Amino acid sequence: MNIPTFALSEMRISNYLIGVFLLCLSSFAVAQGNSINSPGSFLRGKEEGWFWYEVEPEPIEPKAPEPKKVEVAKEMLTIIKLEKPKPKALSVEWFNAEYPKILNTAIDNPTDENVKAYRYATRVLLDKASNFTRTFQRQSLLDPMLDESNRMPFSSAMRGAFMRMTTEQKKKATDAVAKKAGLWVFLDDKCPYCAMQYPLVARTAKERGIEVVYITPDGNRPSWMLGADEVRKDMGQGRNLKIQVRPAVALVIPPEKVTVLTQGMLSQDLLEERILVAGDAAGLITGEVRKQAFPEERGILTPEDIREIGESIQKDPKSIVPGTQERIQKRY
């Protein structure tokens, strides 16, 4: 078969171009190595044909592995419980724990044995209390620092004499207050109780020598008041002292201390008692006069004394007895 010369030339050119294409393709493959299997290679997944260009799904990030639970050996969880030593039989601690059990057992099952156990346990408990009481009383009688009768006698005969002497000393202390203070008495002519309170205040003022100023809403003298008593108009004193009920009595200590003693009626002895207490709180009673007026306070430890005793006990636990005795002696 004769092939034209120009046809042969075209075939040679085609074969030459094909060879060049294959040579370039192979060179490209060699240069890329395994990159044809990389995510961006169009030769990857040849079985997909011409669908090599499809969008790939987002890569899924691997979840962090969960921390392993640390298994602790059972022997590591075992807590050694130190058993508290049992209290000594028939001690107070023993009775606190066992006595209710003995009682409950006797109530739930009242056999002769259970009830007898409860009764004898009760007998022991009462005898322990009696032994403590005897020692307590003996200490009170033999230790003057612990004898409460040193401050106030307990016997009826001595107590009567003591109260009479104390009353006289309180009157002297009240007289001392009267020299440094006075009374404001709020009255109203329309108030029936004011008419009954007025003579009691007037007698107290006369006996104790205390100055009194009577204050009425309008400054007018009530019809039942004596002409010699000083009467003033309420210029705001009642409002400032929050007086809601008349009669009312206030202790006035110059220059500006005022203490309301009562809003309502008071007997003379109670009125004098409140004058004394208010005067003492204001510091108008001092020294021996105060000791005689308040004999029941003798030997009482002050908060400062108790604080000092506590500090000494922290340093030496055995100092409670001598430390307390020393401070009690200072208070007599």
Side-chain angles (χ1 to χ4, degrees), residues 113-131:
E113 181 181 0
N114 291 340
V115 174
K116 185 177 292 186
Y118 165 69
R119 295 203 59 186
Y120 274 97
T122 303
R123 171 61 186 269
V124 174
L125 181 61
L126 294 177
D127 287 353
K128 285 173 68 71
S130 297
N131 294 333

Side-chain angles (χ1 to χ4, degrees), residues 65-118:
E66 295 182 0
K68 295 183 179 179
K69 295 182 179 179
V70 180
E71 295 182 359
V72 183
K74 292 183 179 180
E75 56 269 20
M76 297 299 293
L77 296 177
T78 303
I79 300 176
I80 301 176
K81 295 182 179 180
L82 298 177
E83 294 186 359
K84 186 178 180 180
K86 294 183 179 180
K88 185 178 180 181
L90 301 182
S91 64
V92 174
E93 188 177 0
W94 183 90
F95 271 103
N96 289 336
E98 301 298 329
Y99 188 73
K101 298 178 183 178
I102 298 174
L103 171 60
N104 294 339
T105 300
I107 294 175
D108 290 337
N109 187 18
T111 63
D112 289 342
E113 181 181 0
N114 291 340
V115 174
K116 185 177 292 186
Y118 165 69

Side-chain angles (χ1 to χ4, degrees), residues 23-328:
L23 179 60
C24 292
L25 183 61
S26 61
S27 298
F28 177 77
V30 171
Q32 295 295 324
N34 293 331
S35 63
I36 59 175
N37 293 324
S38 62
S41 176
F42 68 90
L43 295 178
R44 179 181 57 82
K46 59 183 178 179
E47 68 277 0
E48 297 177 3
W50 291 102
F51 295 99
W52 54 270
Y53 58 88
E54 65 180 345
V55 179
E56 296 182 2
E58 293 290 336
I60 300 176
E61 296 182 0
K63 294 182 179 180
E66 295 182 0
K68 295 183 179 179
K69 295 182 179 179
V70 180
E71 295 182 359
V72 183
K74 292 183 179 180
E75 56 269 20
M76 297 299 293
L77 296 177
T78 303
I79 300 176
I80 301 176
K81 295 182 179 180
L82 298 177
E83 294 186 359
K84 186 178 180 180
K86 294 183 179 180
K88 185 178 180 181
L90 301 182
S91 64
V92 174
E93 188 177 0
W94 183 90
F95 271 103
N96 289 336
E98 301 298 329
Y99 188 73
K101 298 178 183 178
I102 298 174
L103 171 60
N104 294 339
T105 300
I107 294 175
D108 290 337
N109 187 18
T111 63
D112 289 342
E113 181 181 0
N114 291 340
V115 174
K116 185 177 292 186
Y118 165 69
R119 295 203 59 186
Y120 274 97
T122 303
R123 171 61 186 269
V124 174
L125 181 61
L126 294 177
D127 287 353
K128 285 173 68 71
S130 297
N131 294 333
F132 168 78
T133 301
R134 281 199 303 273
T135 304
F136 183 90
Q137 291 175 341
R138 183 169 64 249
Q139 291 291 336
S140 299
L141 296 175
L142 301 180
D143 191 337
M145 298 295 100
L146 299 176
D147 189 1
E148 292 297 319
S149 64
N150 289 339
R151 297 189 296 112
M152 182 176 295
F154 297 144
S155 64
S156 57
M158 292 301 299
R159 188 174 180 82
F162 174 82
M163 295 304 297
R164 285 193 298 272
M165 293 177 59
T166 301
T167 300
E168 293 299 323
Q169 296 299 328
K170 288 183 181 297
K171 289 181 178 180
K172 292 181 179 180
T174 306
D175 294 341
V177 174
K179 296 178 181 179
K180 303 176 183 179
L183 295 178
W184 281 353
V185 182
F186 295 85
L187 301 174
D188 191 338
D189 192 17
K190 300 177 181 179
C191 168
Y193 301 104
C194 295
M196 292 184 285
Q197 181 71 77
Y198 166 71
L200 299 178
V201 175
R203 184 163 56 246
T204 301
K206 182 178 180 180
E207 293 178 358
R208 302 277 77 83
I210 189 169
E211 183 179 354
V212 182
V213 174
Y214 297 94
I215 300 174
T216 60
D218 52 9
N220 295 329
R221 184 179 304 276
S223 57
W224 32 259
M225 180 178 289
L226 299 177
D229 296 318
E230 182 181 358
V231 179
R232 296 181 183 178
K233 182 179 179 180
D234 191 341
M235 303 297 293
Q237 299 96 320
R239 181 179 65 256
N240 293 334
L241 296 177
K242 298 180 174 57
I243 301 298
Q244 303 295 331
V245 178
R246 287 177 173 81
V249 182
L251 182 69
V252 182
I253 304 173
E256 55 184 12
K257 185 174 180 59
V258 182
T259 303
V260 178
L261 303 180
T262 178
Q263 293 192 52
M265 288 191 61
L266 273 184
S267 62
Q268 183 176 352
D269 56 342
L270 291 179
L271 178 60
E272 292 185 4
E273 180 182 2
R274 296 194 183 189
I275 293 174
L276 177 65
V277 172
D280 178 53
L284 301 183
I285 311 173
T286 58
E288 192 63 26
V289 175
R290 190 186 187 284
K291 287 185 178 181
Q292 296 298 328
F294 301 99
E296 66 278 3
E297 295 184 6
R298 291 184 299 178
I300 298 295
L301 294 171
T302 65
E304 181 66 19
D305 293 332
I306 297 173
R307 184 186 63 80
E308 293 176 355
I309 294 172
E311 292 176 352
S312 64
I313 292 175
Q314 289 180 347
K315 299 177 181 178
D316 180 10
K318 295 182 180 180
S319 66
I320 183 172
V321 173
T324 306
Q325 287 179 336
E326 178 183 356
R327 287 165 178 82
I328 289 176

